[in-house]
Amino acid sequence: MARRDTVMKKPKDTRGALRRLLNYLGPWKYVILAVLILSLGSNLLNLWGPSLAGSAIREAAAGVGKVNFDAVTRYASLMLLCYVGSALLGFGISLIMTVVSRRVARQMRQDVFDKLMRLPVGYFDRHQAGDIISRVSYDVDVISTSMATDVTSILTSAVTVAGSPAMM
């Protein structure tokens, strides 16, 4: 029997697929809102850093004998706090989204298992069990990984694009 290569296909009903995915994320809407707020805070801290660096450079470039070292130290300390705070928020965001994606994937796997149990025996005669298991596990893993990484990246990028002109 010739092996059929699995190719990533676009869903026939993209809106329906997105709607079903959003249904899985529904119980996590407040957690995702918290992730959005944390992402906003992380990016604002990250965008504030260069502004503080500019202020520190301005203070340091006052001229020979006119440098206010206290102000330079204060700006440098604030800049360090901003970047450390941004990194900690980013770590928290990644941790939260990993937990959410794993729990959503668990629910998806359970739903797929329940669906497979309701299928007629003839379906399993026409399709190899290994192909079914491989497809299900791969698709759920892709969705889980995408939720853990891509959703965070999209939120972060959107805040960065919106916040950069404001900080300039």
Side-chain angles (χ1 to χ4, degrees), residues 83-128:
Y83 288 133
V84 168
S86 176
L88 289 174
L89 286 174
F91 177 73
I93 290 166
S94 296
L95 194 64
I96 292 168
M97 285 308 294
T98 299
V99 169
V100 168
S101 69
R102 285 185 179 175
R103 292 191 180 167
V104 167
R106 183 184 316 138
Q107 183 62 48
M108 284 180 172
R109 284 188 182 96
Q110 184 63 49
D111 290 349
V112 169
F113 178 77
D114 293 343
K115 172 71 175 184
L116 288 172
M117 292 294 106
R118 289 190 307 265
L119 289 174
V121 175
Y123 180 83
F124 297 102
D125 291 339
R126 291 187 307 272
H127 300 88
Q128 292 184 358

Side-chain angles (χ1 to χ4, degrees), residues 106-168:
R106 183 184 316 138
Q107 183 62 48
M108 284 180 172
R109 284 188 182 96
Q110 184 63 49
D111 290 349
V112 169
F113 178 77
D114 293 343
K115 172 71 175 184
L116 288 172
M117 292 294 106
R118 289 190 307 265
L119 289 174
V121 175
Y123 180 83
F124 297 102
D125 291 339
R126 291 187 307 272
H127 300 88
Q128 292 184 358
D131 288 342
I132 296 169
I133 293 169
S134 174
R135 175 165 285 182
V136 167
S137 66
Y138 176 75
D139 289 351
V140 172
D141 284 344
V142 166
I143 291 170
S144 176
T145 302
S146 175
M147 282 191 303
T149 58
D150 297 344
V151 171
T152 305
S153 296
I154 290 168
L155 292 175
T156 303
S157 298
V159 171
T160 301
V161 167
S164 294
M167 294 307 266
M168 288 180 180

Side-chain angles (χ1 to χ4, degrees), residues 46-101:
N46 219 7
L47 291 170
W48 192 27
S51 174
L52 292 170
S55 298
I57 291 169
R58 206 172 16 260
E59 289 291 333
V64 178
K66 298 179 183 176
V67 176
N68 183 352
F69 287 105
D70 291 335
V72 172
T73 302
R74 184 171 29 97
Y75 286 128
S77 299
L78 284 173
M79 192 170 58
L80 180 65
L81 285 174
C82 283
Y83 288 133
V84 168
S86 176
L88 289 174
L89 286 174
F91 177 73
I93 290 166
S94 296
L95 194 64
I96 292 168
M97 285 308 294
T98 299
V99 169
V100 168
S101 69

